[in-house]
Amino acid sequence: MPPKNHIVIVEDSPAIGFLLKNYLEKLGYHQIHTCDTGAVAMATISDLISQNQVPIVLLDYMLPDMDAHSLLTQILEKQPDIRVILETATEKSDEGIKDLIRLGVCHYIEKPIRFENLKSILNTIEKEASFFLDSSSSSINSSTLGNDNFTVEEQIENAMINLKQASVSKIEEIVGKSNLIVKNHLEKLENGGKIIPIDEIKEIACSGCNSTDTEQRFFCPSCKSSDFKIGKLIEHYDCGNISEESTYEKDLCPNCKKEIKALGVDHRVMQNHYICNDCNEFHAELSMEYICLKCDNKFPLDKCKWKTSKIYKVVNMK
């Protein structure tokens, strides 16, 4: 059995964080990181990713230093396929919650948290884990699995044996055949007791060629550059200057040279803005598009296609 994911709990309530940690330990998770602010969470997640560890994130909707939308954007920028579970007392019909789900939250859980619901979500994520890992981790690609020396059926079976777990659309990409051909043979393998269906997923597909081999790209809304950084800005009310915090040396405005004194009276701090290194413009949110790795087509989320397909797991293929 593969080791369980690291889990990052982003929760400003020590009591809830403690209860979650204790329950997760009972489920067999031992690499648990609790964070009470978005900044600490981002640093923790970045550190784990640098160690080739992709954690599951339990994200509280309300944080003391930033909103969940800002933190989620940063997390997905760092690791687009990370699994984020949103925990909130806000109704799922709320527009803010809908926006987070559209952005990339994979599951939603209501507060007060019912542990059986959390367990069910984690079980689903575990079942999907092999599929959502970077395909490079399995050292499998279309050129090695889709070999013309094999029949289509043999290619499908070889793909399943090597991947251990995959969706219908994933196998379709590998063998280069229609969904119907792949689906029919996978159902034949299922009927023969060689594979079992474990879930269904919805995947983003290219608006042009319909491939699910896509990735996200974030860029500056002004100049379209992907060279940006996350920073803190200060707006000086007296002269209207807005620039990075680092430009206010000794609390002096870089524009009018007056000293800023009282937060909320003569200046305000603008947290977590994206500053473009090319055009120097700053934005609260980045623009985002998807790129198809098969045909190089670029398209926004609202123009994408969606594919829903079963995930199958190998149980008896020799």
Side-chain angles (χ1 to χ4, degrees), residues 195-206:
I195 61 175
I196 58 171
I198 58 174
D199 212 336
E200 233 182 34
I201 62 167
K202 189 180 288 290
E203 301 168 273
I204 286 175
C206 174

Side-chain angles (χ1 to χ4, degrees), residues 202-213:
K202 189 180 288 290
E203 301 168 273
I204 286 175
C206 174
S207 60
C209 71
N210 211 35
S211 169
T212 56
D213 192 8

